[in-house]
Amino acid sequence: MGYSTLSDCVTDLQKHGQLIRIKEEVDPYLQMAAIHLRVFENEGPAILFENVKGSKFPAVSNLFGTLDRSKFIFRDTLDKIKTLVDLKSDPIKAIKNPFKYANVGLTALSALPMKVGKGAPINFGRTHISELPQIVNWPNDGGPFVTMPQVYTEDADKPGIMNANLGMYRIQLAGNDYVLDKEVGLHYQLHRGIGVHQTKANAKGQPLKVSIFVGGPPSHPVAAVMPLPEGLSEMTFAGALGNRRFRYFYDADGFCISADADFVITGTVMPLENKPEGPFGDHLGYYSLKHPFPLMKVHNVYHKKDAIWSFTVVGRPPQEDTSFGALIHEITGSAIPKEIPGLHAVNAVDAAGVHPLLFAIGSERYTPYIKERKPQEILTIANHILGKSQLSLAKYLFIAAKEDDPALNVNDIGGFLKHMLQRIDLTRDLHFYTKTTIDTLDYSGDGLNTGSKVAVTVAGDIKRELWTELPANFTMPRPFTNFKMVMPGILAVEVPKHINDKDVGDMLSILDEHFIDADLNGLPLIVLCDDAAFTAQNLDNFVWVTFTRSNPSHDIYGVHSFTEHKHWGCKGPLIINARIKPHHAPVLEKDPAVEKLVDKMGEKGGALHGII
C-alpha cells in the first residue's frame, strides 16, 4: 500500500533482508561515502548509519541501489503509475479502451496534494544546518552537500502547489564563503524548472522562496528526478507513486512545508545574489569546479521525531543515480520517442556520464522510391532530439535507421557502435553544432555551459568489414607507438600529454603523411588517449574516456580531412582527441586511508562482512 514515512520503508527493507544497520560511529567526512560506494559496487543492501559522528541524526543511503530494490519499494503502485504516465503521453488510449483505464482517473484524483494542519510530524522540532550530518563524499569537495534533496519552488505568476516545481538540485551546506547556519549554496543546471521560477521572481524584484525537503516517503525523491510530461505535477506524481497524497502546509513565513518529510530547510534567494559553490565530485566522474551559483539565506530547519537523513554518493557511473535512471525508464517506457515523430528509441549512455553521449534509432522513410538510402529523415529527428529539454545537453548523438536492422538495440553499446561504424560515410554523415550549450558539469568545452555537438547519422547498406585485429603490415609512426584495439573498427592510441591544439595539428600531419597510400577502410575510428590499455580494457572505459574528454568542434579530426561548402568530413579514419586537457576538471579518486578502514569493516566480525 506504499509507505507514509521513510522510517516505514527502512523497517520494511530490513524485514525483507534488503537493509543493514551500521551501529558503530562513522565519520561523515569520506568514510560514509566510501562505505556506500563499496556496498553499491557489490550490489549490496540499503545502509542505515545509526551513529553519525557530529550529528544526532541517523542517515540512510543506497535505498535505490538496484532496480530490483526500487521495484520492490513501489511494488504496489508501479504498474498503475506506468499506465498513468503512458496515458498522459497518449490520452486517446482512454477513449479507445475505457474499461482498461477506468481506474487511472481515480489514481490521479487520489494523488492530488492535500493541505493539512500545522500539527504535522515535521513540526516536531527545529535544528541548525551545522547539526545535520555533514557528509563529504570526495577528498576535494568544497564542503558537505545535500545529495538527495527535493527542492521546492513556486511560480511567482501562478503561485500554489499545482504550478510548483520539485527538482533534485544539490545543496552545499557549509564551506567556501557561506556563513554557517545562515547561508547555503543552491546549484542547478540548464533546463531546470527552478530556473524559470527564479527568472520570474527576478523580474518582479522579489526573493524566490525555496523549501528543501529531505527524506519522507521514497516516492518523493523519485518525483523530484522524474522527467514528467508537461502538465503532470511532481507532487501529484509523488502521491500516485507512493499511494499517499502529498501532504503539505505553509509555515508562518509563507514557505511550503512537506508534512511527511524528515527535514525541511527553508530560505530565500535574492535576485542575482550569488556566492562560489563547489568543487563537488559529480556524475561524470570528475569534479565540477567552483563557480558562482545562487545563494540561499536560511530561515528555518524543521525535522520530525526520529528523523532519518537521506543521502547518496555520485561519481563515475554506474552509481545509485544509474539505478534511478533505470527506474525512470521502467516508469516512462517509450514516452520520449512518442513525443518525437519517427523516433523509436533513445539511450543516454550511462557509462559515458549520461549527457555526453546519446544513441538513437529513427525511421528513414523520406525517399523509399530510391534504391540508395542515405540519412535524411533521421537528420531531422536528430535536430528534434537535440532541441528536446535535457536531451539538448548531449554532445554526441549517434542515430541509425531502424529499417537497416529492426533488431538494433540502443542499450547494446558494442552492437550499436558496430552498426554505426559498418555504415558510416565519413565524408557525409557528421553534422556539427558549434558554440552552443552543453551540460554544466562537462568541462570539455571552452567555458561553463559552453561547447559543441555533433550528430552522426547513418542509414544504408554496410560499407565496410571492420578490422577485428590489426593487419600484419599495419604500422604507426612515432609518437604513436602504444596502441590497442578496443573493438572491431576502433583503435585506442596512447600519445604524449596534451599541451595545446598545435600539438594535435603536428600529429595529424604525421598521420596524413604516414597513411597517404594506406587502405584503412576497416578502421573508421582512432581515439587518441592518455592510457591505451585503460581505454581499451572494456567498452565502459572507452565511452567514458572518449566522450567525457572531448569537445566535438575542437577534438574531432580525421585522416585526409576536408571542408567543402562549410561541411567537414574526412577520407580516412575519424580521429577523436580524448586526452585530458589543461582546462579539464580533475578525475575523482578515492582516499587510500579511508579505503583501508572500509576494508577492515569487510573482515570477519566487521559490519560489512559478507557484503563487500
Side-chain angles (χ1 to χ4, degrees), residues 51-67:
N51 190 359
V52 179
K53 184 178 180 180
S55 178
K56 64 181 179 181
F57 300 109
V60 68
S61 76
N62 207 34
L63 283 176
F64 307 100
T66 68
L67 178 58

Side-chain angles (χ1 to χ4, degrees), residues 37-99:
L37 289 171
R38 196 75 68 85
V39 172
F40 175 84
E41 288 164 5
N42 286 276
E43 299 184 352
I47 315 161
L48 182 67
F49 299 89
E50 294 188 347
N51 190 359
V52 179
K53 184 178 180 180
S55 178
K56 64 181 179 181
F57 300 109
V60 68
S61 76
N62 207 34
L63 283 176
F64 307 100
T66 68
L67 178 58
D68 285 344
R69 184 154 60 248
S70 297
K71 292 168 74 171
F72 174 82
I73 289 172
F74 302 114
R75 58 194 180 276
D76 295 327
T77 59
L78 197 58
D79 288 339
K80 284 197 295 185
I81 200 69
K82 285 158 66 174
T83 302
L84 179 63
V85 172
D86 184 47
L87 190 57
K88 186 70 179 178
S89 301
D90 188 6
I92 202 72
K93 287 183 177 180
I95 299 172
K96 292 180 177 179
N97 300 280
F99 296 106

Side-chain angles (χ1 to χ4, degrees), residues 443-455:
Y443 286 86
S444 65
D446 47 10
L448 188 66
N449 299 320
T450 305
S452 63
K453 310 177 190 301
V454 64

